[in-house]
Every structure is written in structure tokens, then in C-alpha cells.
Amino acid sequence: MDFPMFHLDWLNNRMLIAIIAILHVIINHGLAVGFMPFVTWLEQRGVSRSGKDQITDMEWDNMVYKIMKVAFIITTTIGAMTGVGIWFSVALVSPASIGSLIRVFYWAWFTEWLVFVTEVVLIMIYFLTWKNSNTTLKAKLRHIKFGWYLSLFSWITMAIIVSILGFMMDPGNWETNHTLLNGFTNPIYLPQLFFRTPTAMLVAGIFGMFLITLFTKAGTEIRINAVKYASKWLLFWAPLSLIAAYMYYRAMPDAMTENLSTAVGTIAFAQYYNLLMYFAFGGVAFTLIIAFIGIYKTKLLKPYLVIIPVITAMAYLGFFERVREFIRKPYVISQYMYSNLLLKDDYVVYKQDGILKHATYTSVNEVTEDNKVEAGKNVFIIACSRCHTAQGVNSVVYVFDRMYSGNGKPLDIGAMAAYMPNMHNGRTFMPEFPGNEKEAEALAVYINYLQQTGDVLEGAQEEGISINPNNTASALIHKNK
């Protein structure tokens, strides 16, 4: 490995990224990409509802302003922090993958940064000038234009990032011609963008309906009209989200769809795959039911009732985000880099020479009779620790204990060592073991040691780093003389 490995043994490294990323996606999609056009549309409705001597319907405008205030506060605090948090956590946990993506998508990410800065400026202008825009009709219409500009730039940021997410699932022609254009126009890009757009509008609409019921009094004309507008919004976008979800699914490579049962509920709950799928799509169906109630039985809707589809809609989006992260396994970048951050093309060398010999950060560079536990620990850090922990979430000890004894009895080192070179055949979401036979045995010895001692694995942030003696600066200088 070219980087020291940060590791959280109690949580799991990928879980750290997942928690931050899913929260960010829900906020970004629901309260930026989808919510900004929803709010702007409602603000525009206020002008059309006003009398001849009014600039806008002020009661309506105040309601929409309160809704926008919620979105503004959340997006500029939690949304901003989780956005930075994704970069921070990925740089710690998966530096090789983010480095590779930056090299491919440098100009796309640079463009996205410019668009994002513009989006931040626009949201500040849009929210902070809201009250002052009500002085003249010209100012109000100009303010609404800023809302539509903000909506467009919010969508563009997502449209650029989605190309990178699609690339990680299926690089397409980039494998034969390494250009930004080929990476950007990957086969998953448009289906995923088509799914995310209406889904963002769906989440925004149901959350907006919740805020409407929260900021208006029951039975009032303003609540009835606003809820009906939100319901129409949902009835338009919800079917598109379901159609797009199916198209997104059809665009996935076969190897990824085979991982779906495990991706939905983890391997322990794979047998409940269909039930979980029905629950996910049932969330959208429930949103549609609320939308019909909002049109035909508007007075029945209360905040406590609308909060349920808000949760299910956000869970629906988060569910697809989790699935997207998992189904590309055993790769982090399909056909290029495995989820353990090792390049697919380098496996030929690793399997011949062993992975320790070519690692930069390792305390031993070969397996001996005296260092099997230490060597196995290094193999685990390099080949396994991106997805597994020693004693925490997705513990490697728990996995093998469940596979073999299931009752805490000492693990069979020989059986584990024999299984590792072939484990990817039975568990297609796992990369092929990258090391040689001695390293597989050392890894088995280390896992058995973890089971017997209950020891935890500390990352480089706690334990420090060790440099492979063959890869130190002095060794390389001496080698080149």
C-alpha cells in the first residue's frame, strides 16, 4: 500500500464514510437539488395568487420564507459539514481510490467546485434578500429568477458528481481509452442521473408538505391550498422516481445485480431481500397515498401524519445510496481497483511475490515461523481492513466463527488458510485474496489470535507507521547504485 492505513476497529472504516455520505446525500438531494425549485415554485405561486394592488400574497410569502429558512439553515450547517466530512473521511479511509478519481476527473471536479461556489453565493443572495424583494414587483420577479438560477446550479453540481459515482460502478470505454470524456459518459451516468433527479424532487416535496402543515393552522385556506400544491408536486415526481429506479436497475451490470440481495440487508438478512425491496418501494407508494389525501381530503393531514412519509422517503433515498455503495464490490472502482484499494492489474505480482514484499507501510516484508502473527496483522491491514474489523462492526473473527464453529470454539487455522484463496468464488462481493500461501496462513494465524485474545486492531493514527525495510529511502538509493 502507498498510504498508512487509518482504522476504526469499533465502527468499521466504510461505515464511517457511509454514515456521513448518506446523511449528506439526503440533505443535498432533498433540501438543495429538489427543495430549491420547490420553494421557488411556491414563491412564484404567491405572486400569481396576489391581488391587483399586491406584489405578492404576503401571508403565503411568509409561509414559503419560513420553509426556505429551514432549508437554508440545514444546508449551510449540516449539509456543508457533511460535504467536507466526505472528503475528510474518504481521504483517511480510502486515499488510493480518491486519488485515482481526482486524476481522472480533475477538470470535472474543478468545474463542480466553481459551480458549487456559485450555488453558495446564490443561496445567500436568495435567502438574505427575500424580505427586501417584496418592495416592488420587479424586485420580486428578479428574486424569483435567482431562485431558478439557484435551482439550476444545485442540479448541475449533482449532475457532475453523478458521473463520478457512475464511473465507479462501470467505467465503460475508459478501460480502453483513458480520457475524461470516456469516464464522464459512462454507461451508468444517465440512468443514475435520471433516478436521482425525480427522487430529489420527491423527498423535497414530502418534506415541504411537512413544513407546510407545521407552519400553518389546520383548516385554514392557506394550508389547504399549499398542501394541494405540494400534493400535485408529489404526484408528478413520485411515478418518475419509480420508473427511473427500474431503468437504473436495468442499466447495472449483471455482476452488480447479483449482489443486490446482500446489498439490501447484508448477508445475514439476504433471505429477507424481497421483503426489504417491497418496503423500499412501499415508501414511495405511501408518499403517493399522502399526495392523494392531500388533494381530496386535505384537512385530514396533520404534521404527525406527514412525518411518516418524510421518514420513508428519506429512507428510500438512503436505501438506494447504500445499495449503490455495496453492489460495485469487489471493486471500489469497477474493473480497476478492488475495495481493499489494490489495483486489479497488480494482483499477478502480489500472488507471485506476496503482498508484504511490495507494501510500503509494513513492519515485516516476508513471513517466517517467528513472525506469523505480526505478518498476518500486516496482511489483514492491507487486504482486509477496509471492510472488516478485528472485534467491531463486520468483525473478521465473527465471520469465521459463524462459518465454522458458530459457538466460539478455536478456529481451524488450516481450514481458514485453505479457504482464503478461493473465498471470492463463494462470496463474489469479496476481492480475491492478493497474497501467497504463506501470507494466507499468516492471516489465518492472526485471526485465530484475535479470537483467542480479543485484541483490537489499532490504525496508523494510534499505532504509528512502520516502513518496509526494502522500501526506505536509503534502501532504494543503495539499490540504484
Side-chain angles (χ1 to χ4, degrees):
M1 289 302 300
D2 296 327
F3 299 93
M5 298 302 258
F6 176 90
H7 183 74
L8 294 176
D9 203 60
W10 59 277
L11 179 64
N12 183 300
N13 300 303
R14 291 191 179 276
M15 183 72 74
L16 174 66
I17 299 176
I19 292 171
I20 298 172
I22 290 176
L23 180 58
H24 179 74
V25 166
I26 291 172
I27 293 172
N28 175 267
H29 286 26
L31 295 180
V33 176
F35 210 73
M36 295 309 148
F38 178 73
V39 168
T40 305
W41 179 62
L42 288 180
E43 184 189 12
Q44 192 167 292
R45 295 300 93 196
V47 174
S48 64
R49 285 167 51 87
S50 62
K52 292 182 179 180
D53 299 328
Q54 293 179 304
I55 296 171
T56 187
D57 183 332
M58 290 306 301
E59 185 183 11
W60 180 277
D61 195 72
N62 287 331
M63 176 198 68
V64 180
Y65 174 77
K66 290 178 182 179
I67 293 172
M68 178 60 198
K69 188 175 183 178
V70 173
F72 177 79
I73 292 173
I74 295 176
T75 55
T76 55
T77 54
I78 302 174
M81 287 189 293
T82 52
V84 174
I86 291 174
W87 279 100
F88 186 70
S89 60
V90 171
L92 284 174
V93 173
S94 191
S97 65
I98 198 66
S100 296
L101 291 172
I102 289 173
R103 284 190 288 272
V104 176
F105 289 94
Y106 176 83
W107 290 111
W109 246 315
F110 179 73
T111 303
E112 190 273 337
W113 179 78
L114 294 177
V115 175
F116 173 73
V117 171
T118 305
E119 179 189 354
V120 171
V121 172
L122 286 172
I123 196 171
M124 298 293 287
I125 293 173
Y126 185 62
F127 178 72
L128 296 177
T129 63
W130 191 298
K131 296 296 185 180
N132 292 334
S133 71
N134 291 331
T135 54
T136 66
L137 179 59
K138 182 178 181 181
K140 188 62 175 175
L141 294 177
R142 182 169 60 245
H143 185 262
I144 292 171
K145 284 184 180 180
F146 272 107
W148 290 120
Y149 294 149
L150 171 60
S151 302
L152 176 62
F153 277 83
S154 297
W155 182 83
I156 291 174
T157 59
M158 181 185 73
I160 295 174
I161 295 300
V162 166
S163 71
I164 301 170
L165 300 178
F167 173 83
M168 295 171 74
M169 296 173 69
D170 187 353
N173 292 333
W174 182 85
E175 293 183 63
T176 55
N177 188 3
H178 295 178
T179 66
L180 171 61
L181 180 61
N182 279 334
F184 199 95
T185 57
N186 57 81
I188 306 291
Y189 175 50
L190 289 180
Q192 187 174 180
L193 182 61
F194 180 43
F195 164 72
R196 287 181 182 271
T197 299
T199 303
M201 304 298 174
L202 171 69
V203 175
I206 194 63
F207 187 68
M209 181 184 286
F210 169 70
L211 294 179
I212 288 168
T213 60
L214 201 63
F215 294 141
T216 58
K217 293 182 179 180
T220 59
E221 182 184 355
I222 189 171
R223 173 183 283 193
I224 293 172
N225 289 329
V227 166
K228 286 185 176 181
Y229 276 126
S231 298
K232 291 176 182 178
W233 177 278
L234 292 172
L235 289 175
F236 179 80
W237 290 110
L240 289 179
S241 177
L242 286 175
I243 293 170
Y246 176 74
M247 294 177 65
Y248 183 17
Y249 168 78
R250 295 291 297 175
M252 292 177 187
D254 292 340
M256 291 186 181
T257 57
E258 291 174 1
N259 280 341
L260 273 174
S261 61
T262 305
V264 170
T266 75
I267 193 168
F269 298 99
Q271 64 268 35
Y272 302 116
Y273 167 61
N274 289 334
L275 179 62
L276 289 167
M277 288 291 289
Y278 293 145
F279 174 80
F281 288 103
V284 179
F286 188 35
T287 302
L288 283 170
I289 292 171
I290 292 294
F292 279 112
I293 294 174
I295 290 177
Y296 297 107
K297 297 290 183 180
T298 313
K299 293 182 179 181
L300 294 178
L301 291 185
K302 303 291 189 298
Y304 69 84
L305 183 60
V306 182
I307 193 63
I308 299 174
V310 168
I311 294 172
T312 57
M314 289 184 176
Y316 168 69
L317 178 57
F319 160 82
F320 270 93
E321 195 63 18
R322 170 188 154 71
V323 168
R324 181 193 63 79
E325 280 292 322
F326 190 96
I327 60 174
R328 67 172 183 263
K329 289 184 177 184
Y331 298 99
V332 66
I333 301 175
S334 183
Q335 305 303 318
Y336 176 72
M337 180 181 290
Y338 285 114
S339 54
N340 55 20
L341 309 185
L342 300 176
L343 298 180
K344 179 182 178 181
D345 290 346
D346 291 344
Y347 259 59
V348 175
V349 176
Y350 295 146
K351 293 181 75 64
Q352 176 180 314
D353 299 341
I355 194 172
L356 295 176
K357 178 180 178 180
H358 298 282
T360 301
Y361 297 96
T362 176
S363 58
V364 297
N365 55 22
E366 64 178 342
V367 181
T368 67
E369 288 298 320
D370 298 328
N371 72 0
K372 283 187 178 180
V373 172
E374 183 66 16
K377 175 182 177 181
N378 281 272
V379 172
F380 180 81
I381 291 172
I382 296 169
C384 313
S385 67
R386 296 309 83 196
C387 298
H388 292 281
T389 65
Q391 308 293 346
V393 175
N394 201 24
S395 162
V396 69
V397 174
Y398 172 75
V399 170
F400 276 103
D401 183 62
R402 188 180 60 194
M403 285 176 56
Y404 289 105
S405 63
N407 53 16
K409 291 182 179 180
L411 294 170
D412 188 325
I413 294 174
M416 287 193 294
Y419 169 73
M420 287 171 187
N422 302 300
M423 62 186 177
H424 62 286
N425 294 322
R427 300 185 174 215
T428 56
F429 49 85
M430 291 185 66
E432 186 177 357
F433 180 71
N436 55 30
E437 291 183 5
K438 288 185 177 181
E439 290 172 339
E441 183 185 2
L443 178 57
V445 169
Y446 176 64
I447 295 172
N448 181 68
Y449 166 82
L450 291 175
Q451 185 204 40
Q452 298 304 308
T453 64
D455 196 14
V456 298
L457 177 66
E458 294 182 338
Q461 78 276 14
E462 296 173 309
E463 195 173 71
I465 61 172
S466 299
I467 306 294
N468 187 332
N470 292 337
N471 291 335
T472 61
S474 58
L476 293 174
I477 293 172
H478 179 75
K479 182 180 179 181
N480 292 328
K481 285 184 177 180

